[in-house]
Structure formats: C-alpha cells, structure tokens
Amino acid sequence: MKTLVIAEKPDMGRNIAAAIDPKAKNHRSYIEGEHYIITWAIGHLIGLAEPDAYDDRYKKWNINDLPIIPDRFKLVPNRKTIDQLKVIGELAKRSNLLVNSCDAGREGQYIFSLIQRHLKLSQPVKRLWISDLTPETIRKGFAELKDGSDYDNLTKAATARSEADWLIGMNGSRAFTTKHNVLLSVGRVQTPVLALIYDRQKQIEAFSSLKFFELEGHFKQDGTTYRGMWQGERMTDKAKADELAAKVKGKPGRIASYEAKETKEYPFKLYDLTLLQRDANGKYGFSAKKTLDTAQALYEKHKVISYPRTNSNYVTEQNIPEMHKTLNALQGTAYNEWVQGANRGLVHKGNKFICNPAKVEDHHAILPTNRKAGGLSADEQKLYDLIVRRFLSQFYPAAEYKVHSVMTEVENETFKTTVKELLSLGWKVIYADQKKDKAKSKGKETDESGEEEIEVSEPFSVNPGEGVTCSDAVVKEKDTQPPKHYTEGTLLKAMESAGKQIEDEELREAMKDSGLGTPATRAATIERLKNVGYVDMQGKKIVVTQKGRTAIELIRGAGIDLLTSPEMTGLWERRLNEISRGTASNAQFMENVKKFATMIVDKVRVQSRAAKTSFESDPSSAPASKGTTRKAAVSRSRAAKPKPDGTAAPSASSSAVIAACPRIGCGGSIFMGRKGYGCSHYKEGCKFVIWKDSFGRSLTNTQVKALVEKGKTAKLKLRLEDGTETEGKLVLRNIDNGELGIET
C-alpha cells in the first residue's frame, strides 16, 4: 500500500509531487507515483452543518427556538467540491499512512482534521510542517515528518475556534435578526471589530475643534540659522501671540542650554503578515485581503517567499544559513547593488533582533526564498519588493544621527529646537530611492506639544557661549485635530492589540496572543463587515454605515457589552492559543462559550424591537465615496432588507424583476441582491439562489435571465474549482435551489 499525501490546494499538491516524486503520473484530481499518492483539498471541503441538519424547525428563524446548542457538531461536505472529497475517500482505501500536508497553521490543521473525521480515516498520520514551497524545503520536510499526534492540541484549538464562532454567530445573528426583522450579522470577532470602528467614529463626530496659536522663532548665530517653538501654555488668544511675537522679534538672545547626543536607528523588524498588510495598505492602498491573496500567490504559485500567514517577526537558528543563501541568490537581480553593499556578518545566530527562536511558534517571519522571481504581476512585484527590501535591510548597520537639543531664551521667553543631523544612512540606503514620507515628528504631534523635530543631512552646530538674534517671529494659526478614521492598516494594528493603543514594540509582541482574530483571519473579518453592509470605504477611510451603528447600539442596549468588547474577545483568542499549547482546556472554553450564547439570546428576547428606519441612512446626508454619485449613494442607502442567505429581499426601490422563479408552483420573482439572485418568496421557504460569482465569472442580469428561462447561457470562459480554465455553457442543474453546472 502507498502513502496518501493530502495538501490543502492543488498548486501545493503539485509542488509536493514535483519535489518528492517527479516521475509520478498526473490523474488530474491526484498524482500517483511508486510510493506516494498526492491529492488535495480545495480549501474547506467540509464545514459545520446548518441548524436545520439538527431539526427541521430550524429552517425558519424563530427566536423561541433559540439557543441552538448541539451536543455534537455535525459535519457537511461542500456541495461544490464533493467530488474531490470522494476522490480522497477512494484513495485512502489504498493507503496505509496519511501525510497531512495542508498549510502549516491552525486552519490547515482544521481542514485536514475535518476530512479525517468525516471520512472516518483510521490510518496513522504524519505531519509535514514547512514554511516555504521550494523543492529543497519540501524534501527536507518529508525527511523530518512529525507524528500527527504532536498537533492534537492545535486541532483542539482549531475545532474550538470554529465551533465557538458557530455558536455565537448562529445564535446571535438569529436572535437579533428575528427580533428586529433586519438581517443583523453577529460574530465572536467581527462584532468587537465593528465596535472599534463605531467608537472611533463617535469620537470623531463628538470632537469639537479648538483654534490655537503657535509662535515660531527664527534665530541666527554667525552663519547658522535655526527655528524654535515657543514654550508655554497653549495660546488661544491671537492678540497674546502677536504681542509675544512683537516682544521678541529682532531682539538679541542667548542659548540657555545645548545638548548634542548621538543615536542609532536599527532596521525595522522582519515582516509578519499584519505588518506587511499595514505597510501595503499605507504605501499602495492594498486592502488586507488583497495583500493576503497576493502574498499567498508569491508563496504558493511563484514560491519566492516563505509562508505568509505568520505572526512572528523573527527567525530560528536554522533560518540563518537560508538567509545567506537567499542573499547570494539576489545577486544579479534588480537588488544587486544592495547585495554588494551587504554586511553578511550582521545576520548571525547571536543577533537577537533577527534570530529569536523563543518568539517563533508555528512559523518564522516572512522571508524571500532563494528562487529567482519572474513573471510577477505589478501588484505581486510591489509586495515582493517590500519583503525583499525589509530582508536586505537586516544586512546593513544602523542609521546614525546626532540629535541637537537647543533651548534659546529671548526677552525671558524660551524656544525649543530639536535638530536631527544625519551622520550615516546605514540600512536606510535601501529606501533612499523612494519618495520620502511626509516629515513626521518623533513623539507628540506639533499641534499638541508645540514641538517639532527637524531632520537635516548637513552638519549642524551652535556655540552655547555666543549670543543669537531673533531675526523673525511667526505666529501660526492651528486647529486641534480629531482622532483619525481607521484605515485597513490602522485597523489591523488595533485588531492585533485588541484595540489597545500600543506604540511600544515589546508590548505589541506581548499582545499578539490576545489580538482580535489571527493574522490569517483578520482580512476576512474586515471583508465581512463590508459585505454585510456595516461599513463603507471612503478612499482609505473606513466609515460605519447606519446599519452598523444601529447593530452596535442594539447589542449594547441589550446589555451584551461583552460581545462588543475587543479586550474580552482578545482574551478568548489568547485562550485558544493556550489550548493549542496544551495549557488550557478546550472543554472548559466551550462551556463558557455556550453559556455566553445562551445569555445573548436571553437578553435579546426581552429587548424592544427597533424601528425599521433606524437601519436606514438619511439619503440627503449619505456620504458618496470617491467615484460614487450622490444619486448612487441615495440608491444604496435604500437597499432592500437582506435575507438570511446574504441575498436581498426585493422592495419597491430595489432592482427590477429579472425573471419568474422557475420552481414549480412557487410563483415568486427573481431579484438581484447583494451577493446573488434570490426569490421574493424566500420567507415562504423558497431556497432558489444563483450566486453572482460562479465558476470564475461575475454573472450579469442577462446571463441569469437566460439560466432561469432557458436553463443555460451562451458559451463563456469559466474556471473550475481546481483553478483550471475552460470554455463552456453554464447550466441550471437544480431548479429547486439554483445549483449551477458546466456543459462543455
């Protein structure tokens, strides 16, 4: 019998086959060689069953049927990929050993465990745990396979995470939706993230700007000129500021104190996923999801970076030689000049800034591999460039500065000057070709403290013993600024620290275990908030919709503040991490989640129903995002009430009828919703839905009309579940539920 290797996705399976058995025969859904059969999942082949799998009465949403708390969670195959699941089941009959080669993380572990449970696979299991997909790493990983039982605790944590999300999501969403007659999505992670955005927006709206005045003195001493900010209580009276300016302008002064201190700035830490997402959002405007998808392509398809879904900024001792190999591999590329200037002696096992095995759990920091990058898309190249530059900077010394602190006194008034003089560029040479970011003050903003730091590249010095002249005094009018709206980058930072404002990098490290979600799931959480209509994007800014506001206010109004608490949910995430290490009980965690789900239902049951208008934006004040007309914004604000399946129920102001529902005896009409085309008789039990995104296409009204009325479309370019491109007609396979197939 042979060893069955189960990868998470087709590309990964093919990479593994090419590395360990290059002569193996490709059978399309698996690859078979002399000793190995390599096959794959297509993401999640199996999920947790819907409530109606436990009892038919749950087909209708009724608050009196809540809470729904299964004794044992049932599993159900994904209908779209059930054929691949059957393939794995048949191949397993010819195998006496399984190798779990799914992604080396919590979700990959869960995907394999669900397959194992559903198919009742009893063979012994080995675990492939690797951080990149180069052939050398794959072969090394197979030579060092771990026992599957070594990861039992990780499986327990993954299962607890999934079941906890089901309990909170199903019970919370059904309770609030049925009570208020509007689809309100509630989640263990998404709700506290929405609360973060809501609270920030409330702070912005409540902010009252205060006008104030700063006094900037301009000073001369021999050939040196410099500026300083007046030190004193904030001035809100312009007359007083003008009076001070007149008092010092043109007058002699003295240097009350002068200090020059040399400092060093070391390279930024290597990337974890969240830092990479934050940088890509700030620099290129990439969404968190786009960065994750692009990084996954660099890892899986191009094999030019290591595993991206990591929360570590460090490497282990075993990675140091690999880093040196990668540096050599970058010779002759666009990065050659920086490779030639690299100091290889700086990257070694004793450099705790880079190599810190205690801070590497599942995966080390994101690194480029020693494979040459070619054929990258523009976006892939941008992300790869970020990763390579961050990697190369570790081979360069610190940037060196001399910080000059000058206190100048004129007419008994004191002015503070801080000048940061560049002595040596160090690692910053790698970024010298890029446009400088807007000058930022170190520490407090100038409008809060009256201080600013001036960075110069030419030598600066003053003589404390000589007098100075105040050549000019300028009054600057300023306004206090409200907190800034979250961008995806700053929201990711807040999610990582469970909403706490943490600037200190060491504290940031300590909070990683108790953030909101994981690096791998945060992007999906943000996307979900958009998809359910809780937030909108205005350029890079994330703004809460009226529906999102009301959702948070209803949850808090019901007395379930815990559900909106980022810190509490962060502690749940920490507990899941403890379960994965074997230091906490998954059973106890689940008991607490069940009690919490029950409490949610009990609180909502006695809540008063919200007015329908409380979920609708005022069309006259709906903010139109860039590229959106006021008319479009008004139209969107009147969107129809969503159905439980995510499509939208028709209303007088929603999309026109596409076609009559094809279900025999239904009599309903097909309308376009947020994610798909659903039937107006959904409340009467009609489950007909055609999803907008099907087989790699975003379907048009015309194509859906053809499917409903003729049963098929014209010939289209389509994509199969395994990623294969094909040409064929979409056909309506099942008129009861809208299931589609392909006719080639």
Side-chain angles (χ1 to χ4, degrees):
M1 298 188 88
K2 298 181 180 180
T3 296
L4 178 62
V5 179
I6 302 175
E8 188 165 323
K9 294 176 185 171
D11 275 356
M12 187 181 292
R14 295 183 190 111
N15 288 332
I16 290 171
I20 65 171
D21 203 344
K23 295 181 180 178
K25 186 177 179 183
N26 191 337
H27 295 271
R28 196 165 176 276
S29 56
Y30 66 95
I31 300 170
E32 185 166 0
E34 188 177 350
H35 303 291
Y36 294 102
I37 305 171
I38 299 104
T39 190
W40 42 80
I42 305 168
H44 282 269
L45 295 181
I46 297 157
L48 298 181
E50 293 290 313
D52 58 18
Y54 300 93
D55 194 315
D56 279 347
R57 67 193 165 117
Y58 296 142
K59 286 180 179 178
K60 290 189 176 180
W61 291 30
N62 189 327
I63 198 167
N64 295 320
D65 291 331
L66 303 178
I68 305 169
I69 300 179
D71 293 326
R72 178 176 170 80
F73 282 86
K74 293 182 179 181
L75 304 180
V76 61
N78 183 334
R79 284 183 311 166
K80 292 183 178 179
T81 54
I82 195 166
D83 290 344
Q84 185 63 19
L85 183 62
K86 290 175 181 175
V87 166
I88 294 173
E90 289 302 312
L91 295 174
K93 294 174 183 175
R94 301 198 280 124
S95 307
N96 60 355
L97 177 67
L98 306 178
V99 177
N100 175 4
S101 298
C102 294
D103 276 359
R106 193 163 78 185
E107 281 308 294
Q109 191 68 18
Y110 188 51
I111 286 169
F112 178 85
S113 73
L114 289 177
I115 294 169
Q116 191 181 23
R117 276 170 57 193
H118 184 74
L119 295 177
K120 297 181 171 62
L121 304 181
S122 57
Q123 297 94 328
V125 177
K126 293 287 185 180
R127 184 59 158 112
L128 176 70
W129 195 271
I130 55 177
S131 283
D132 68 62
L133 290 173
T134 57
E136 301 84 9
T137 301
I138 292 170
R139 286 191 285 268
K140 187 171 184 288
F142 267 85
E144 301 171 353
L145 289 173
K146 309 286 196 305
D147 278 332
S149 59
D150 291 353
Y151 298 88
D152 285 350
N153 287 327
L154 186 60
T155 302
K156 288 177 184 176
T159 304
R161 193 279 308 161
S162 181
E163 293 177 357
D165 285 347
W166 192 99
L167 287 169
I168 301 301
M170 284 295 178
N171 287 292
S173 297
R174 286 190 174 217
F176 279 102
T177 296
T178 53
K179 187 67 179 182
H180 302 290
N181 204 30
V182 171
L183 180 65
L184 293 174
S185 179
V186 171
R188 183 182 65 88
V189 176
Q190 75 169 42
T191 300
V193 174
L194 177 61
L196 279 178
I197 303 167
Y198 170 90
D199 289 340
R200 174 65 62 84
Q201 195 155 320
K202 291 291 280 185
Q203 288 173 3
I204 294 168
E205 290 165 357
F207 183 82
S208 181
S209 182
L210 173 69
K211 196 178 294 295
F212 67 99
F213 302 90
E214 287 183 345
L215 177 60
E216 181 182 83
H218 293 205
F219 304 103
K220 284 183 180 178
Q221 185 190 69
D222 296 333
T224 301
T225 60
Y226 64 96
R227 302 194 307 269
M229 302 304 296
W230 177 77
Q231 301 298 288
E233 291 185 5
R234 177 181 283 168
M235 293 184 286
T236 55
D237 182 353
K238 187 173 187 302
K240 181 186 176 185
D242 288 337
E243 184 183 319
L244 274 173
K247 177 183 176 183
V248 298
K249 186 174 180 179
K251 301 292 175 61
R254 69 183 188 91
I255 294 176
S257 70
Y258 169 61
E259 182 182 329
K261 185 170 66 176
E262 292 193 3
T263 63
K264 293 183 178 183
E265 285 186 20
Y266 290 89
F268 296 126
K269 285 187 173 74
L270 290 164
Y271 280 125
D272 59 19
L273 177 60
T274 303
L275 271 180
L276 180 63
Q277 288 170 317
R278 283 166 49 187
D279 271 12
N281 180 255
K283 191 172 178 62
Y284 300 119
F286 287 5
S287 69
K289 183 179 186 300
K290 181 173 182 176
T291 297
L292 176 56
D293 291 346
T294 306
Q296 195 69 20
L298 291 172
Y299 163 67
E300 205 169 282
K301 178 182 174 184
H302 300 288
K303 296 179 274 296
V304 294
I305 68 167
S306 62
Y307 184 72
R309 298 168 186 245
T310 176
N311 71 343
S312 179
N313 308 99
Y314 299 90
V315 301
T316 66
E317 294 176 351
Q318 290 75 29
N319 300 125
I320 297 297
E322 296 299 321
M323 290 178 72
H324 284 271
K325 283 182 189 175
T326 298
L327 183 68
N328 292 335
L330 288 168
Q331 290 185 82
T333 68
Y335 304 99
N336 187 63
E337 183 182 341
W338 296 322
V339 173
Q340 300 306 320
N343 180 349
R344 288 161 171 77
L346 293 173
V347 176
H348 56 85
K349 295 174 183 179
N351 183 345
K352 292 299 179 187
F353 188 84
I354 301 169
C355 182
N356 194 335
K359 293 187 177 180
V360 180
E361 289 187 11
D362 295 342
H363 294 286
H364 57 71
I366 302 172
L367 299 171
T369 66
N370 57 22
R371 174 171 285 221
K372 289 272 197 296
L376 304 186
S377 70
D379 287 341
E380 287 168 347
Q381 182 59 50
K382 286 175 181 175
L383 207 63
Y384 180 68
D385 184 67
L386 284 178
I387 294 164
V388 172
R389 287 181 192 245
R390 184 63 64 100
F391 165 81
L392 287 171
S393 70
Q394 311 304 311
F395 290 88
Y396 277 75
E400 296 180 10
Y401 295 89
K402 183 183 281 187
V403 178
H404 305 264
S405 299
V406 186
M407 300 297 283
T408 307
E409 199 173 272
V410 182
E411 297 290 308
N412 294 319
E413 303 295 340
T414 304
F415 295 80
K416 183 175 182 179
T417 303
T418 304
V419 175
K420 188 176 175 184
E421 176 192 348
L422 176 67
L423 300 178
S424 171
L425 207 51
W427 61 275
K428 292 189 177 183
V429 69
I430 290 170
Y431 298 92
D433 62 320
Q434 298 180 339
K435 283 185 179 179
K436 282 190 176 181
D437 293 335
K438 287 182 180 178
K440 291 180 182 175
S441 306
K442 293 288 279 184
K444 298 179 181 177
E445 296 292 334
T446 57
D447 62 0
E448 294 299 325
S449 67
E451 297 176 15
E452 67 175 10
E453 186 178 78
I454 303 162
E455 192 167 321
V456 297
S457 53
E458 64 278 357
F460 175 86
S461 66
V462 293
N463 187 338
E466 287 187 16
V468 298
T469 302
C470 180
S471 58
D472 200 1
V474 180
V475 174
K476 294 184 174 181
E477 182 180 305
K478 294 199 171 183
D479 294 292
T480 53
Q481 297 299 308
K484 291 181 178 175
H485 279 278
Y486 279 117
T487 64
E488 288 203 26
T490 57
L491 182 59
L492 285 166
K493 182 179 181 181
M495 290 171 75
E496 188 177 52
S497 58
K500 290 187 175 180
Q501 298 302 309
I502 295 178
E503 298 299 329
D504 184 87
E505 285 299 312
E506 290 305 313
L507 278 177
R508 175 182 171 270
E509 284 291 322
M511 281 297 296
K512 277 186 173 183
D513 277 354
S514 53
L516 294 175
T518 67
T521 61
R522 286 173 191 142
T525 299
I526 296 172
E527 290 302 308
R528 175 143 186 82
L529 291 175
K530 296 177 192 174
N531 292 338
V532 298
Y534 283 161
V535 301
D536 269 340
M537 299 301 298
Q538 291 183 6
K540 284 188 180 181
K541 293 191 302 188
I542 303 174
V543 295
V544 178
T545 64
Q546 184 58 40
K547 183 181 178 184
R549 287 172 184 267
T550 304
I552 291 298
E553 287 163 4
L554 285 174
I555 292 167
R556 287 176 172 166
I560 318 171
D561 294 59
L562 215 56
L563 186 55
T564 66
S565 165
E567 195 165 345
M568 177 56 67
T569 309
L571 292 175
W572 290 359
E573 199 66 50
R574 174 177 283 183
R575 188 56 46 85
L576 288 168
N577 281 305
E578 289 169 353
I579 291 167
S580 71
R581 298 184 199 118
T583 58
S585 163
N586 58 316
Q588 185 59 56
F589 174 78
M590 289 306 298
E591 275 306 307
N592 291 337
V593 171
K594 289 173 184 176
K595 288 176 185 174
F596 187 56
T598 302
M599 185 266 280
I600 291 172
V601 173
D602 290 342
K603 297 272 191 182
V604 177
R605 189 174 276 122
V606 298
Q607 189 176 34
S608 299
R609 175 170 288 184
K612 189 177 180 182
T613 53
S614 64
F615 300 96
E616 299 168 359
S617 300
D618 175 5
S620 64
S621 62
S625 58
K626 190 176 180 181
T628 304
T629 63
R630 172 54 59 89
K631 183 178 178 182
V634 171
S635 171
R636 188 173 59 211
S637 73
R638 291 175 177 161
K641 183 181 79 174
K643 297 172 7 185
D645 63 10
T647 61
S651 69
S653 59
S654 66
S655 304
V657 175
I658 303 297
C661 181
R663 273 187 74 234
I664 296 168
C666 175
S669 300
I670 303 301
F671 286 80
M672 182 176 74
R674 182 189 290 274
K675 292 185 180 178
Y677 295 81
C679 179
S680 59
H681 283 188
Y682 77 95
K683 283 187 176 178
E684 288 76 27
C686 182
K687 292 187 175 179
F688 186 91
V689 178
I690 293 177
W691 301 108
K692 284 182 184 176
D693 295 325
S694 296
F695 295 98
R697 293 194 68 88
S698 184
L699 299 182
T700 64
N701 291 1
T702 304
Q703 289 161 350
V704 173
K705 185 176 175 67
L707 282 166
V708 173
E709 295 182 346
K710 299 176 183 176
K712 63 177 68 177
T713 64
K715 212 165 214 183
L716 303 168
K717 286 188 177 180
L718 303 167
R719 188 182 305 121
L720 301 176
E721 291 292 340
D722 64 2
T724 307
E725 303 280 346
T726 188
E727 277 200 10
K729 296 178 180 180
L730 283 180
V731 295
L732 183 60
R733 271 190 182 163
N734 189 328
I735 62 169
D736 287 329
N737 60 21
E739 181 186 353
L740 303 181
I742 296 178
E743 181 185 282
T744 54

